[in-house]
Amino acid sequence: MGDRAVAGAKTRGRQRSQQGGGRGRRRLTVDERRDELIEAALQLFSTRPPEDISIDDVAAAAGASRALVYHYFGGKYELYVAALGSAAKQLSVLLEPPTEGKPLERLSISLERYFDFVESHAAGYAALLRGGPADRSGEVGEIVDGIRRLLLDRILHSLNVETPQPILRITLRSWMAAVETAGLDWLENRDVTRPELERLLVDHLVVMLRVAGRHDPGTGALFDRLAQKELGPQP
């Protein structure tokens, strides 16, 4: 599978190179060429672990020379960080808060979009959360933390909460860790359907909020409001 992906990437690269020789091809700007290289890297990182991708692989996929890749990025670490940053921006767009529906419906939509990202960037997502090829305390760590802050912000928006109290914040961050672990398990095993997993995780959050509400009146009130909106007035 990996060999075929590389062969296909190289074929597309040769085709782009041949097309580039024609007079009708528009000359790319510096930013456009850089984006093209990042997109090629993202495609490769989405199908294979980053440590298995070489600069030559990226150059072939983009129809460029390895010297050009080095010119723009300096090395594989810089390219990986740039590709990861681009993927994070894509995720930010995917997780733009829905405006319609009940709170848990909006959360379900955001969770579905999150798993769209997980599935389409499977190898890169797994490498990222398991440590990846780079120093997690540096730029890669900052990107990972940024993704987590974004996800927390989207969850709070879905729950109509501006600033969470400590118990709620801890509960939500614990749930996010569970979502990441579930994503890795699903990528490895795929023995439940994605919709089933997503429903399980939403129910998981509901249970966690109910338990947290026993320790914090504000979280308890939030759970009661959610129950009212989801179930309607109870007799």
Side-chain angles (χ1 to χ4, degrees):
M1 180 73 176
D3 292 340
R4 287 199 295 271
V6 172
K10 288 181 177 179
T11 298
R12 290 191 296 274
R14 285 194 297 269
Q15 290 172 345
R16 280 195 289 265
S17 295
Q18 292 166 1
Q19 292 168 357
R23 293 182 179 178
R25 180 176 169 86
R26 182 174 64 86
R27 185 178 181 85
L28 297 178
T29 67
V30 170
D31 288 341
E32 288 170 339
R33 190 54 167 159
R34 187 176 184 278
D35 290 343
E36 190 176 71
L37 293 171
I38 290 175
E39 182 59 31
L42 272 177
Q43 291 297 322
L44 293 173
F45 289 142
S46 296
T47 57
R48 293 159 54 196
E51 59 268 22
D52 292 346
I53 306 297
S54 70
I55 290 293
D56 287 334
D57 291 332
V58 176
S65 67
R66 70 195 308 267
L68 185 64
V69 181
Y70 278 113
H71 171 73
Y72 278 97
F73 299 102
K76 193 169 85 168
Y77 173 75
E78 290 82 1
L79 177 59
Y80 178 70
V81 169
L84 188 58
S86 178
K89 289 180 182 178
Q90 292 179 25
L91 180 59
S92 176
V93 173
L94 284 173
L95 293 182
E96 192 64 28
T99 56
E100 302 294 332
K102 300 175 183 177
L104 291 184
E105 289 175 345
R106 298 200 301 272
L107 181 64
S108 296
I109 292 171
S110 292
L111 194 62
E112 181 182 3
R113 293 173 180 174
Y114 177 82
F115 274 98
D116 284 342
F117 177 85
V118 170
E119 187 168 14
S120 61
H121 296 81
Y125 176 85
L128 173 64
L129 293 184
R130 287 173 175 151
D135 179 9
R136 287 291 298 274
S137 64
E139 292 175 276
V140 173
E142 291 176 6
I143 293 173
V144 175
D145 289 342
I147 292 173
R148 288 172 175 158
R149 286 193 298 270
L150 171 69
L151 184 57
L152 178 61
D153 178 71
R154 297 300 189 253
I155 296 169
L156 291 171
H157 188 278
S158 296
L159 298 177
N160 295 318
V161 174
E162 289 187 9
T163 304
Q165 294 301 309
I167 293 295
L168 178 58
R169 185 193 68 243
I170 292 169
T171 300
L172 294 179
R173 293 184 72 174
S174 298
W175 180 72
M176 287 165 52
V179 170
E180 290 181 357
T181 301
L184 291 172
D185 184 275
W186 183 79
L187 288 174
E188 181 179 350
N189 298 293
R190 296 183 188 251
D191 47 5
V192 298
T193 66
R194 250 191 62 188
E196 183 181 0
L197 176 62
E198 291 164 10
R199 288 194 299 271
L200 171 66
L201 289 170
V202 171
D203 290 345
H204 188 183
L205 177 59
V206 171
V207 171
M208 291 180 72
L209 289 174
R210 183 174 185 179
V211 172
R214 299 174 185 170
H215 300 265
D216 172 53
T219 303
L222 170 64
F223 177 82
D224 290 341
R225 289 197 302 273
L226 285 175
Q228 271 195 335
K229 289 181 179 179
E230 297 296 323
L231 302 176
Q234 298 299 300

